[in-house]
């Protein structure tokens, strides 16, 4: 999959969800719309920042754009840390939203959770990785090992 298309899917989906979340919560001002858009963007797009960690753990401070875009760091290290890619975060933010009373805070938590969920679902659909690999606990228990023959995580 072309990384630019992947990012494009994440951006469009996240911003669409941000607008949807804003409408569902019934706010009518620009500030709350921007808050909702920002937090779905944070959860749905900016979580990919964790790929930099994997890249630098593999190649040190020598950043190579081509290697980064192609995910060569997974092949070199045979590890997939991607610490922000975890279903557990979606569950955590969703559960926290159940206990928060302030509507704007509840909207923020739901926006983050839906942004992250959309990101993970897009990744699952676009890349040949088993769903269990998107659970941090699973990756941790398996030493964050990579098996590129059958997807990123065995």
């Amino acid at each position: 999959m072309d990384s630019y298309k992947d990012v494009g899917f994440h951006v469009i989906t996240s911003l669409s969800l941000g607008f949807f979340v804003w409408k569902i919560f019934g706010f009518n001002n620009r500030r709350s719309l921007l808050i909702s858009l920002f937090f779905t963007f944070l959860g749905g797009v900016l979580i990919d920042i964790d790929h930099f960690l994997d890249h630098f753990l593999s190649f040190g401070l020598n950043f190579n754009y081509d290697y980064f875009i192609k995910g060569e760091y997974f092949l070199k290290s045979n590890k997939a840390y991607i610490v922000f890619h975890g279903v557990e975060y979606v569950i955590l933010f969703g559960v926290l939203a159940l206990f928060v009373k302030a509507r704007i805070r509840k909207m923020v938590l739901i926006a983050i959770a839906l942004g992250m969920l959309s990101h993970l679902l897009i990744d699952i659909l676009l890349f040949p990785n088993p769903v269990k690999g998107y659970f941090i606990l699973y990756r941790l228990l398996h030493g964050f090992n990579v098996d590129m023959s059958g997807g990123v995580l065995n």
Side-chain angles (χ1 to χ4, degrees), residues 11-84:
V11 169
I12 291 167
T13 304
S14 295
L15 294 178
S16 298
L17 281 172
F19 181 77
F20 175 74
V21 168
W22 177 70
K23 281 302 222 183
I24 293 298
F25 275 85
F27 290 108
N28 293 320
N29 59 59
R30 177 178 279 184
R31 180 177 174 271
S32 58
L33 172 59
L34 292 175
I35 289 169
S36 183
L37 292 172
F38 173 77
F39 283 102
T40 52
F41 189 80
L42 176 72
V45 178
L46 296 182
I47 70 167
D48 269 342
I49 197 90
D50 60 5
H51 287 276
F52 284 99
L53 172 65
D54 284 55
H55 181 83
F56 289 125
L57 287 172
S58 294
F59 295 105
L61 296 177
N62 301 316
F63 183 75
N64 182 309
Y65 180 77
D66 290 330
Y67 287 178
F68 181 76
I69 291 299
K70 293 177 183 172
E72 295 288 329
Y73 42 89
F74 292 133
L75 295 173
K76 184 173 190 305
S77 69
N78 290 317
K79 301 285 182 185
Y81 296 105
I82 47 176
V83 296
F84 298 136

Side-chain angles (χ1 to χ4, degrees), residues 129-142:
N129 304 318
V131 173
K132 62 188 175 187
Y134 288 94
F135 286 84
I136 293 172
L137 184 59
Y138 176 84
R139 293 196 311 267
L140 176 68
L141 292 173
H142 290 86

